[in-house]
Amino acid sequence: MAKNDPYAALKFKEFNIFLFMRFLLVFGWSMQFIVIEWEVYSLTKDPLALGIIGLMEIIPAFTMALFAGHIVDRSEKRNLLAICIALFSFISLGLFCLTWDVVVANWSTKTILYGIYTLVFFGGFLRSFFGPTIFSLIALIVPKKAYPNAATWSTSTWKAATVLGALCGGFFIHWIGVDKTLCIIFVLVVLALIFTFRIKKKPILNTNKEESVKESLAVGVKFVFSNKAILGALTLDMIAVLFGGTVALLSVFAQDILEVGSQGFGVLNASISLGSIVSMFLTTYIPVAKNAGKKLLASIFIFGLCIIVFGLSSSFWLSVVALFLSGAADGISMVIRQTILQLKTPDEMRGRVSSVNSMFVGSSNELGAFESGLAAKLLGPARAVIFGGTMTLLTVVGLGFKNKVLRELDLTEDYEFDEN
């Protein structure tokens, strides 16, 4: 296999099936998030209600993360992923029912709202299994020398699905309504489930049955906290995402500040993911291994600057550009982080390490949504976004000076070793 081959992972049939399955799933998931955010704000006109959506998802996702990683490491990955997708399809079906005209006409707004929060809560429970399972499955589909390229394509596919899901979510709300959009999402999730079974069952690498659950969890956490490269990258991204999140407030900006309606809402959401996917596809040709630590710090610093510009902007197109550039910077940071995890995590610990990653980064998305909603309630939406961007900049500067290991991190040797 040629060194730095941008299509290395795509030479494996099962990986292509995996990418298509993940695209369908994330496309539907992204649309669902956008639609629910829009519906909840339309019902309440309260930005704090948007924050509660994040809180409802983070509680189960965070509390179950470590145990989910333990289960993933001890389970067959293909079947576990299929179970998760099947259960997620029921959540999508339930959200459709809660927004169906027949239900809306006969149920109170409060009942519908609580029903949505309940389903989001169960979605958070499933999410604690999705991340570790997908992360572990990739390593069983492609050989180790293709890990960096597979990580880039997997993350790029996720972002491609996110950008189209965000764009279609906003447009579909306008064209066919909330309930019919959620029905489409249900169909997409079922299709993802069907394609999952085209991937063969994989061996279980962690067969240490004598190790207790407590010992298993402790080993995973200890590994992450003893590896300064992984810990530094996760800490930086967690704090940046926590304070730099704007997605939870985009419906407020679209409806009340920029006044661009549901179509503009879809464009604002899509611009973030479009920037990410463009930058991630570029990294398949321009490897980020050399001086990875400096590139990670620089990308998140640029991300924070763009968030501040968005908060200050009263122009729709300036806001779109700022979000696009923030997505591009975020995309680079995600590729670097995923490459670090894939190269430095032992195969038998991938579930647990990915679970710790989800606690650091994945859960901070929802906690960030709650922080954004609360800050918007106290400071106003624009000031809340500017505050978040400023905190991101301060975090990057502080951690960059303090963490020498992260600042000088270079993955060139790890990458070249795995290519041999």
Side-chain angles (χ1 to χ4, degrees), residues 74-361:
R74 298 291 183 89
S75 304
E76 196 282 308
K77 311 300 185 290
R78 196 284 307 271
N79 281 350
L80 182 59
L81 180 60
I83 292 171
C84 291
I85 295 175
L87 292 175
F88 180 65
S89 70
F90 285 105
I91 293 176
S92 297
L93 182 61
L95 289 171
F96 160 71
C97 292
L98 285 174
T99 56
W100 191 21
D101 290 340
V102 175
V103 174
V104 173
N106 294 283
W107 288 17
S108 68
T109 299
K110 188 175 182 180
T111 301
I112 294 173
L113 189 63
Y114 286 172
I116 291 174
Y117 286 153
T118 300
L119 290 175
V120 170
F121 181 89
F122 285 112
F125 175 84
L126 287 178
R127 177 185 165 166
S128 66
F129 287 88
F130 267 117
T133 305
I134 288 175
F135 181 77
S136 301
L137 187 59
I138 292 175
L140 297 172
I141 292 175
V142 300
K144 192 170 185 179
K145 58 186 176 181
Y147 284 178
N149 186 252
T152 300
W153 278 107
S154 178
T155 309
S156 298
T157 299
W158 171 60
K159 272 299 179 182
T162 302
V163 63
L164 291 175
L167 187 61
C168 292
F171 286 142
F172 281 11
I173 291 172
H174 177 74
W175 289 335
I176 61 177
V178 169
D179 57 340
K180 293 182 179 64
T181 302
L182 288 168
C183 184
I184 291 174
I185 292 168
F186 170 71
V187 173
L188 291 172
V189 175
V190 171
L191 286 175
L193 177 62
I194 293 171
F195 274 91
T196 301
F197 287 105
R198 295 195 62 186
I199 299 173
K200 295 179 181 179
K201 292 183 179 181
K202 303 302 175 185
I204 302 173
L205 299 179
N206 186 348
T207 57
N208 185 3
K209 297 182 179 180
E210 296 181 358
E211 187 178 53
S212 67
V213 175
K214 183 178 179 179
E215 291 172 337
S216 174
L217 300 183
V219 168
V221 174
K222 184 178 179 180
F223 174 80
V224 172
F225 279 83
S226 63
N227 190 305
K228 293 183 179 181
I230 292 179
L231 181 62
L234 297 189
T235 302
L236 178 63
D237 219 36
M238 177 191 71
I239 298 177
V241 170
L242 176 63
F243 289 107
T246 59
V247 176
L249 298 178
L250 287 186
S251 58
V252 181
F253 276 81
Q255 294 187 47
D256 298 339
I257 297 178
L258 299 174
E259 298 179 350
V260 291
S262 59
Q263 294 186 58
F265 175 61
V267 172
L268 289 172
N269 274 285
S271 62
I272 301 175
S273 295
L274 182 59
S276 294
I277 192 170
V278 168
S279 66
M280 285 188 288
F281 274 125
L282 287 176
T283 60
T284 62
Y285 294 92
I286 307 172
V288 295
K290 186 174 178 61
N291 296 320
K294 291 184 177 65
K295 291 176 180 176
L296 181 62
L297 290 165
S299 62
I300 297 181
F301 187 85
I302 293 171
F303 170 81
L305 286 177
C306 294
I307 294 303
I308 293 175
V309 172
F310 174 76
L312 293 171
S313 172
S314 58
S315 165
F316 173 67
W317 290 111
L318 177 59
S319 298
V320 169
V321 171
L323 291 177
F324 174 84
L325 293 176
S326 74
D330 187 45
I332 294 173
S333 72
M334 282 191 290
V335 168
I336 295 173
R337 189 180 74 249
Q338 287 299 313
T339 301
I340 292 171
L341 290 175
Q342 287 288 0
L343 289 177
K344 295 187 175 294
T345 302
D347 289 339
E348 69 276 6
M349 295 180 61
R350 290 185 178 277
R352 284 164 288 177
V353 172
S354 180
S355 291
V356 176
N357 173 51
S358 70
M359 293 177 70
F360 270 77
V361 180

